[in-house]
Amino acid sequence: MSALIEFKGFNKFFGEHQVLKDIDLQVRSGEVVVILGPSGCGKSTLLRCLNGLEVAHGGSLTLAGKELLSKATDWRQVRQQVGMVFQSYHLFGHMSVMENLLLGPLKVQKRERFEAQAQAEALLARVGLLDKRDAYPRQLSGGQQQRIAIVRSLCMNPQVMLFDEVTAALDPEMVKEVLQVIQGLARDGMTLLIVTHEMAFARAVADRIVFMEAGRILEQSAPESFFTNPQTARAQQFLEKFSFVESLPKTPHKELS
Amino acid sequence: MSFDVAFILSTLPAFLKAVGVTLQVGLIAIATSLVVAVINTAILVYRTPYLQRAVGLYVELARNTPLLIQLFFVYFALPSLGLKISGFAAAIITMTFLGGAYLTEVLRAGVEAVPAAQLESGRSIGLSEGQLLRHVILPQAGILSLPALFANFIFLLKETTVVSAVAVPEILYTTKSYIALYYKTYEMLAVLTLICVLLFLPLSLLLSRLERRLQHGQFGS
Ligand SMILES: Nc1ncnc2c1ncn2[C@@H]1O[C@H](COP(=O)(O)OP(=O)(O)OP(=O)(O)O)[C@@H](O)[C@H]1O
Ligand SMILES: [Mg+2]
C-alpha cells in the first residue's frame, strides 16, 4: 500500500535559517510514528507544515496522493483531515466545552447539529468527560482541557492526528489520562504523528521512531531497536540524557499501568 | 439670592424630554459607532491594502480635532456643498465620526490582545478567516475590551452635550434656553448638575455590573 503521508526532499526556512533539510518521510495509513529529537531540531515545524500552519519552501509533501505544496491546495480542506493538538490545548476560552466541540462540525463541515452533538457526546464519554459538556475551559484542569482538545480534533473525523508535546504542560498526575486517550486511538488503528518527551510512552505506542537533529532525519527504526541499539552517535547521546531509559522494561508494555 | 423652586418644577417636563433626547442621541451614536468600529477592525485585522491606511488616517483625524469643530463642519459646511441636514442628523453623524474612531482603537487593542495561539487553534479545525473573526477573534476581543468599551460609551453619552450647539434640544440646550429666556441661571445650572449626576452615575455603575456579569458568563468563574 502506498503512503498516506509522504515528505520528499522537503525543505523549510525561517528567513535565512533552514530548519528542515531534505526530509524524506513516509507514513502509512494506521501507522503510529513518534518523532524524537533535541529541542529546536524542527519537530514542531514538521508537524505544522503538515496542516499549513507553516509554509514550506521546497520538495514535495503529499497526503493521500495529493500534493499539498501546490498553490491550488485548499488548506481548510486539508485541516479537516489532519487534526492537530497543541502543547497548551488552546481551547476557545469564551465557549463552553460543547460549543468548542461543535464549532468545526457545524460551521466548517455544515453538519446537522443532532448528529454532530451525538458524536461529540460519545467521544466525551469515551474520554470520561461527558459531565463537563457545559463547563468552560477555565473550570477544567490541564489534563481535562487537553482531553477536550483531542476530542475537538476528533469531532472533525480526521484521517491523521498530530500531537505536539501534548503532555509537556501538564502536571505529572495528569499525563497518564491524556496518554491513555492517545493510546486508545493508536489501538483503534488511527494514523498518528506524535512528538513527545515521554520516552516510555514513545516506546510503548510507536510503530516507528523517527529521530531528528538540526532539521534532518538521522534515523528511522522500530522502537525496540531504537531504544536498545540506536544507530547514530547523536541518538545515543540523546537517549543517555533520558537517564531513566535504563530502567525501562525490556519488552514493550502495550498498556500503560 | 432667592432660589425659585416653583420655576424649577415648571421646567421639569421639558427637562424630562431633554433627557430623552440626550439618551436618544447617545444610544444611536453608540450603536452606529460600534458598527463603524467593527468594520474598521475587520479592515485592520485583514490588513486590507489602502483601506487600512484610510482607517488609520480617519482615526487620527477624528481623535485629534475638537468635536465642536467637527460638528460645525458637518452642520454648516456640508450644506454649502448642497447637503442640507437637520441638527439631529448632524449630531448623529458627528458623534459617529468621533465615536467610531475611539471604539476602533478600543477594539483593535482588544483584537491584538487575543493570543495568536487562539487563531492557530481556530485555523487548525478548518475555520475560514471570516469565521475566525466572527466566532473567535471578535467575541474574545469584545470581552477583553469590555471595560474600555463601556468607559467610551459613557464618554460618548457625556459628549452629547456638545450637540446643543446645533440646536438639538438635549439637556444642555434646554438649560441654556431657559437661562436665556428667564435669567434663572442658578436654578437651571442646579437642575443640569443634578440631571448629570442622576443620569451618568447610575449608568456608569450599571455598566460596570454588566461588565462583571458578562465576563463571568463568557469565561466562567
Ligand atoms: N516562527 C519562527 N520564526 C523563526 N524561527 C523559528 C520559528 N519557529 C521556530 N523557529 C526555529 O526553527 C527551529 C525549529 O523549531 P521547532 O519549534 O520546530 O523545534 P522543536 O524540535 O519543536 O523544538 P522543541 O522540542 O523545543 O519544541 C528552531 O531553531 C527555532 O528557533
Ligand atoms: Mg516543538
Side-chain angles (χ1 to χ4, degrees), chain B residues 42-71:
Chain B
I43 289 171
L44 294 179
V45 170
Y46 291 135
R47 302 180 197 289
T48 321
Y50 304 115
L51 285 178
Q52 184 187 4
R53 270 279 191 66
V55 170
L57 258 168
Y58 153 64
V59 168
E60 288 310 312
L61 186 69
R63 297 202 314 161
N64 293 305
T65 50
L67 179 59
L68 188 60
I69 292 173
Q70 295 172 5
L71 184 66

Side-chain angles (χ1 to χ4, degrees), chain A residues 84-108:
Chain A
M84 175 125 186
V85 185
F86 303 89
Q87 178 173 334
S88 314
Y89 352 119
H90 305 328
L91 294 174
F92 303 122
H94 63 297
M95 294 181 184
S96 71
V97 166
M98 193 45 89
E99 288 166 339
N100 265 280
L101 301 184
L102 293 183
L103 185 61
L106 297 187
K107 301 296 173 191
V108 178

Side-chain angles (χ1 to χ4, degrees), chain B residues 127-180:
Chain B
L127 292 180
S128 67
E129 293 303 305
Q131 289 171 329
L132 201 59
L133 189 71
R134 180 145 160 251
H135 298 291
V136 180
I137 300 175
L138 280 180
Q140 292 200 11
I143 295 164
L144 288 167
S145 47
L146 267 187
L149 217 45
F150 283 175
N152 275 278
F153 289 173
I154 298 282
F155 163 76
L156 284 177
L157 266 180
K158 287 190 297 189
E159 288 301 290
T160 54
T161 49
V162 169
V163 308
S164 62
V166 292
V168 175
E170 47 68 70
I171 50 178
L172 182 59
Y173 182 81
T174 306
T175 308
K176 289 200 295 192
S177 306
Y178 275 117
I179 293 174

Side-chain angles (χ1 to χ4, degrees), chain B residues 150 203-214:
Chain B
F150 283 175
L203 265 174
S204 178
L205 290 176
L206 187 78
L207 285 184
S208 54
R209 280 197 53 178
L210 188 66
E211 177 190 317
R212 277 202 298 276
R213 283 266 303 274
L214 281 175

Side-chain angles (χ1 to χ4, degrees), chain A residues 14 17 19 37-46 54 164-165 197:
Chain A
F14 282 117
H17 179 41
V19 289
S39 181
C41 70
K43 307 180 294 292
S44 296
T45 307
L46 187 73
E54 301 290 353
D164 190 1
E165 298 193 33
H197 287 301

Side-chain angles (χ1 to χ4, degrees), chain B residues 2-216:
Chain B
S2 71
F3 206 73
D4 192 342
V5 175
F7 178 75
I8 288 182
L9 289 178
S10 76
T11 62
L12 284 189
F15 271 109
L16 213 59
K17 252 182 151 169
V19 167
V21 173
T22 291
L23 285 176
Q24 203 181 354
V25 172
L27 294 180
I28 294 176
I30 286 170
T32 49
S33 297
L34 258 182
V35 172
V36 169
V38 167
I39 294 171
N40 283 346
T41 306
I43 289 171
L44 294 179
V45 170
Y46 291 135
R47 302 180 197 289
T48 321
Y50 304 115
L51 285 178
Q52 184 187 4
R53 270 279 191 66
V55 170
L57 258 168
Y58 153 64
V59 168
E60 288 310 312
L61 186 69
R63 297 202 314 161
N64 293 305
T65 50
L67 179 59
L68 188 60
I69 292 173
Q70 295 172 5
L71 184 66
F72 282 173
F73 181 82
V74 171
Y75 190 64
F76 297 116
L78 286 190
S80 70
L81 301 173
L83 276 164
K84 186 104 188 71
I85 51 174
S86 68
F88 188 81
I92 297 295
I93 292 172
T94 312
M95 296 291 299
T96 304
F97 184 73
L98 181 78
Y102 274 95
L103 298 188
T104 298
E105 279 296 281
V106 169
L107 279 189
R108 186 185 59 84
V111 165
E112 280 168 8
V114 175
Q118 289 284 309
L119 310 191
E120 288 195 342
S121 173
R123 290 196 185 102
S124 76
I125 57 168
L127 292 180
S128 67
E129 293 303 305
Q131 289 171 329
L132 201 59
L133 189 71
R134 180 145 160 251
H135 298 291
V136 180
I137 300 175
L138 280 180
Q140 292 200 11
I143 295 164
L144 288 167
S145 47
L146 267 187
L149 217 45
F150 283 175
N152 275 278
F153 289 173
I154 298 282
F155 163 76
L156 284 177
L157 266 180
K158 287 190 297 189
E159 288 301 290
T160 54
T161 49
V162 169
V163 308
S164 62
V166 292
V168 175
E170 47 68 70
I171 50 178
L172 182 59
Y173 182 81
T174 306
T175 308
K176 289 200 295 192
S177 306
Y178 275 117
I179 293 174
L181 281 175
Y182 301 102
Y183 300 108
K184 303 278 187 191
T185 310
Y186 297 115
E187 285 86 347
M188 291 301 92
L189 286 182
V191 171
L192 181 63
T193 309
L194 196 67
I195 288 178
C196 283
V197 170
L198 289 181
L199 190 61
F200 297 134
L201 211 61
L203 265 174
S204 178
L205 290 176
L206 187 78
L207 285 184
S208 54
R209 280 197 53 178
L210 188 66
E211 177 190 317
R212 277 202 298 276
R213 283 266 303 274
L214 281 175
Q215 279 179 330
H216 175 85

